[in-house]
Amino acid sequence: MSSSKRSTIIVEHLRKQQMREAISRSKRLDGRDLDEMRTLEIELGIIGKADGSSRVRLGNSEVVAGVKVETGTPFEGLENKGALILSAEVLPIASPYVEPGPPDEETIELARVVDRGVRESEMVDLDKLALIPGKVVYTIFVDCSIINYDGNLFDASSYAVVSALMSSKLPVFEVQDGEAVVNTGKKMDPPLTTIPVSITAVKIGDSVILDPTAEEEACMDARITITTNSEGKFAALQKGSTGSFTIDQIKKAAEIARIKGEEVRTKIKELTSNGH
Amino acid sequence: MVQTRSLIDEHGRRTDGRTMDELRNVKIQVGIVKNADGSAYIEFGKNRIIAAVYGPREVHPKHMAQPDRCVLRCRYHMSPFSTDTRKNPAPSRREVEISKVMREALEPALMLEDYPRAAIDVFVEVLQADGGSRCAGITAASVALADAGINMRDIVPACAAGKVDGKIVLDINDVEDKEGSADMPLAYMPHLERVTLLQLDGILNQEEFNECLDKALQGCKMIYEIQRRALIQKYFGDEQELKEES
């Protein structure tokens, strides 16, 4: 059951007031402009045992994503497609406010929103990943572990998943005699079609800011995460938190997501091409 | 998503005979769960959904109580027989997420500060699902909240629009959801003019995005009228409705 709760990060009353006041003057407490993202760092191939991996730092938020590829049965209704399974876990090391245990609704939402961006943009061409249609297909797991929480886990996790997939090498499975599936020991590039980029904006007072820190998230009224593909089209969107937006604010946020998304996409391409 | 057949015919009719801007049949009945403080039953196309509200009441466990406002709790649940293949009755990740976005869609409309240290529980049970069940659920839940006499700033109708066969259409049904190319559910407070729920699955360009948003908004306004009439019907009867229309 979903229940309203107090904010997890305690931002003292004065600090909150200070933040709202600064934002109303188009300044943020960490000195950024309202539409300025924090520095994005991506390291690839940090987990040798994974088929693809990345460590993403967005300011002080840090996420590690790993790709593991196996064979399995296809999903019902999608018999001729490979399976893509995405998860996210906010580890207890990530913040003093996180406790171990089964994922809560916020973590489930996080994984589902990141999944939606990758799935709906059709980043991975799953049609190319069936082995024996209806019986055996490639199953790609992408798991995200949140190492440090300082806000905007939606974008940090999304960039981690995307860059881990971009840098991954899939094992080549072959079908022998129409029924046995064997691992050939060879590797191949994953069939990727586009680079989905999510941009998260939050509303504090009447201002909309990008890439919120944990402190800013604790003060937000409402959140919106918008994912665009390489063509600048919208692929997924999720409004969150208990506030509301006007239609104009949403249309404006969508436009910003498209423009900023392209900037981040260029950056991800640049950071993932080094040494690959 | 694979397009296996044409979902809009040459006359601009959809699989269920509707035009591009037509809602499915929507019927709302207020106060159908006797024990609840407020309730509503909605038929939205083939969706059959009951929403029941209990509260404001004491919070259990007690540590969940908040000194300055009421706790809102929401549960969206699908009955095992509501779908084509039986649904496991345990809450799925999808249901957990919908419970959350549903709570966030309703909360802005409620004056929770009027009921400190209490809880309001909203239960949405999907008896039969037909695409757009979260929108129908929110629509029914906000009527049930009004029926329970909870102080509210506005009512929250919800409706989806989407892209099917390259066209933007109102109120996506089950087939269109599965075979169409985009689905955008929206919840909107018509008097405060605020969006309280918005999601999108599928590809839209900027122009289509704006068109979709505007279309879903029109749908919400139509559903609001149906919500209003259902509430008038319960509290003032047919007489009032006739008077109003003449």
Side-chain angles (χ1 to χ4, degrees), chain A residues 1-6 76 78 81 86-88 103-109 111-113 116 120-122 203 206 223-224 226-227 229 231-247 249-251 254-255 258, chain B residues 1-2 63-67 69-75 85 93-94 96-97 99-101 103-105 107-108 112 121-123 134 181 184 186 188-189 193-206 209-210 213-214 217:
Chain A
M1 189 138 99
S2 176
S3 168
S4 44
K5 49 178 88 68
R6 61 195 96 210
E76 205 185 303
L78 301 167
K81 284 172 182 269
L86 216 141
S87 86
D104 60 5
E105 60 174 28
E106 288 185 21
T107 312
I108 290 177
E109 186 188 29
R112 286 181 61 86
V113 169
R116 207 166 287 156
E120 295 300 331
S121 67
E122 298 179 347
K203 196 174 96 171
D206 284 325
R223 188 194 73 228
I224 191 163
I226 305 174
T227 306
N229 67 11
E231 292 174 323
K233 290 184 177 170
F234 302 100
L237 180 154
Q238 176 100 342
K239 177 253 168 193
S241 193
T242 52
S244 56
F245 288 100
T246 64
I247 291 281
Q249 282 167 336
I250 284 167
K251 287 182 177 170
E255 224 174 303
R258 210 158 45 89
Chain B
M1 276 173 250
V2 209
H63 68 82
M64 280 183 76
Q66 306 225 15
R69 65 192 175 98
C70 177
V71 174
L72 177 67
R73 295 186 292 205
C74 234
R75 179 191 193 246
T85 44
R93 293 164 68 84
R94 174 179 170 276
V96 172
E97 188 205 332
S99 298
K100 180 176 189 281
V101 296
R103 172 174 61 78
E104 292 169 343
E107 225 173 290
L112 296 178
D121 293 322
V122 179
F123 301 103
R134 79 192 65 189
S181 49
M184 181 193 273
L186 170 84
Y188 183 75
M189 296 188 287
E193 302 184 339
R194 288 287 190 285
V195 174
T196 66
L197 171 137
L198 182 63
Q199 294 180 297
L200 167 68
D201 285 303
I203 308 285
L204 294 175
N205 66 29
Q206 180 88 53
F209 178 89
N210 289 347
L213 197 56
D214 291 335
L217 187 76

Side-chain angles (χ1 to χ4, degrees), chain B residues 28-85:
Chain B
I28 303 174
Q29 264 177 289
V30 185
I32 45 96
V33 180
K34 294 288 170 258
N35 281 346
D37 295 305
S39 62
Y41 170 69
I42 189 166
E43 292 185 7
F44 201 123
K46 290 191 212 103
N47 283 301
R48 303 280 181 271
I49 300 172
I50 294 177
V53 171
Y54 285 85
R57 62 178 175 182
E58 226 173 271
V59 193
H60 290 291
K62 281 208 162 121
H63 68 82
M64 280 183 76
Q66 306 225 15
D68 58 337
R69 65 192 175 98
C70 177
V71 174
L72 177 67
R73 295 186 292 205
C74 234
R75 179 191 193 246
Y76 165 96
H77 184 251
M78 290 172 95
S79 299
F81 44 77
S82 63
T83 46
D84 290 334
T85 44

